[in-house]
Amino acid sequence: MHMKVFNTKEAQDLLKAASNLGSPDGDERTKQIVNRLLADLFKAIDDLDITPDEIWKGVNYFNKLGKDGEAALLAAGLGLEKYLDIRMDAADREADIHGGTPRTIEGPLYVAGAPVRDGVSRLDINPDEDAGPLIIRGTITGPDGKPLPGAVVECWHANSKGFYSHFDPTGAQSDFNLRGAVRADAEGKYEFRTLMPVGYGCPPDGATQQLLDTIGRHGNRPAHVHFFVTSDKARKLTTQINIAGDPLIWDDFAYATREELVPDCVDKTGGLALGLKTGAYKEIKFDIELTPLVQGKDNQVVNRLRTAAAA
Ligand code: FE
C-alpha cells in the first residue's frame, strides 16, 4: 500500500482525542508525551506499512514482556538506558562538568537495604564452590581530588552461575548475598571482600531474549560489578566495572562497557589472613572520583521502581 493517512484530518483528530490534547483534564506532561509517541507510532505504521498482523504481534509481545517482568531488562537491551547515559554525559559537558569516574547503566537488579559497614564489607554469605575470592578496593575522592571520608559505596554482582541474589531462579542465595555497602574510612578508602562473578544472559524463555533472537542479537553481558556511590559533598555516581579479560567486554548486550571502567584484575596471595576461603585471590583496585553538585544540588538521583529487602 502506498497511501498515507497520517496527515488526514481524520487521523490527526484521532491522535488529538486519544492523547486528550486541548482538554483541561489530565496531566499535561503525560499528555504531551503520549501524543508525541503515539504520533511517531502512527507515522511509522504509515511509512513502513506495518500490517495489522504485525501490530497485534507487537501488542501481544507487550503482554508477555509485562508478564515476564522484563520491561527494564528490555530497556537495557535495546540501548534505552545507555541512551539516557549519553544524554547525561552531554548535559555534563554543557554544564562544564568534566572528569570524574564515568557513569554507566544501573540495570534492573539492584536491591535496596544492604547493611552499611565501616571501611570493609564481606559480601559472600552463601558458599559458591565455583567462585574464587575477589577483593575490590579503592579510594573515593571528591571534585577537588581530596578523599571523601564517609562516602557510601554500594556494590552488587552475580555469582558463579550468573545469578543475582533476590532474583536467583534456583533460590540458592539469601537476599543480600553478593550485595553490600561500605562507608569510606577517614582516608576515603573502601573495600569489598567477595567472590568472582561471571557474566550472564537474559532468561532464555523471556520476552527480551525472544526479541533479541528475532533481530539476530545475543543477550549476554560480560562479568561485571555494579556500584552506587553517594556523598553529601558530591553527585551520586551510578557505575559498573567489567572484569578484565572477559571476551564480551566490547560485546555487552546492555552497552554498559566504558574504557575507563575495565580496571586491572591482579593475582594476589595471603587471602587466608584476610578471612578469604583461599590464599590465592584476585584484586581489583577501583578508585572512584565523584563530580561536583550543581548549584548545591545532586542532579544525578534517578527515581525508578527498585526492589528493597530487609537485611
Ligand atoms: Fe548486572
Side-chain angles (χ1 to χ4, degrees), residues 106 110-112 228 236 238 301-308:
E106 173 181 332
Y110 171 76
V111 176
F228 280 159
K236 177 177 177 177
T238 300
V301 177
V302 172
N303 294 301
R304 59 186 278 182
L305 198 60
R306 294 183 177 96
T307 306

Side-chain angles (χ1 to χ4, degrees), residues 164 200 221 224 226:
Y164 283 74
Y200 60 85
R221 301 209 58 201
H224 61 276
H226 297 261

Side-chain angles (χ1 to χ4, degrees), residues 86-246:
I86 294 172
R87 281 181 49 82
M88 284 190 275
D89 286 350
D92 280 0
R93 285 193 297 273
E94 201 172 80
D96 216 15
I97 295 173
H98 302 282
T101 302
R103 63 171 61 79
T104 195
I105 69 163
E106 173 181 332
L109 302 175
Y110 171 76
V111 176
V116 184
R117 308 203 195 285
D118 286 317
V120 182
S121 184
R122 176 83 184 250
L123 304 187
D124 53 311
I125 299 166
N126 306 124
D128 187 342
E129 277 178 20
D130 299 325
L134 168 67
I135 288 185
I136 303 166
R137 62 178 186 85
T139 303
I140 305 162
T141 50
D144 58 1
K146 291 186 182 143
L148 277 178
V152 173
V153 191
E154 289 176 88
C155 164
W156 68 104
H157 65 81
N159 67 4
S160 70
K161 310 283 179 292
F163 294 134
Y164 283 74
S165 63
H166 207 94
F167 303 97
D168 186 336
T170 71
Q173 302 182 64
S174 46
D175 270 353
F176 285 99
N177 189 43
L178 310 181
R179 301 176 182 274
V182 157
R183 196 178 291 104
D185 69 12
E187 294 168 325
K189 292 189 191 309
Y190 76 93
E191 180 174 320
F192 292 107
R193 295 179 190 168
T194 187
L195 299 174
M196 184 61 83
V198 301
Y200 60 85
C202 295
D205 300 322
T208 305
Q209 191 59 54
Q210 183 190 318
L211 179 63
L212 293 173
D213 285 345
T214 308
I215 62 175
R217 285 183 49 198
H218 73 73
N220 300 312
R221 301 209 58 201
H224 61 276
V225 177
H226 297 261
F227 299 94
F228 280 159
V229 191
T230 48
S231 159
D232 51 9
K233 297 183 185 67
R235 298 194 302 173
K236 177 177 177 177
L237 174 68
T238 300
T239 197
Q240 302 179 29
I241 53 170
N242 287 125
I243 305 299
D246 191 298

Side-chain angles (χ1 to χ4, degrees), residues 251-290:
D251 191 15
D252 176 7
F253 102 101
Y255 309 104
T257 303
R258 302 188 73 154
E259 230 166 89
E260 305 90 332
L261 301 175
V262 192
D264 290 337
C265 189
V266 180
D267 286 310
K268 303 281 265 190
T269 54
L272 293 175
L274 299 170
L276 307 181
K277 68 177 181 181
T278 56
Y281 69 96
K282 302 273 188 193
E283 184 182 82
I284 291 172
K285 191 165 172 281
F286 181 47
D287 292 329
I288 297 165
E289 185 192 331
L290 298 182

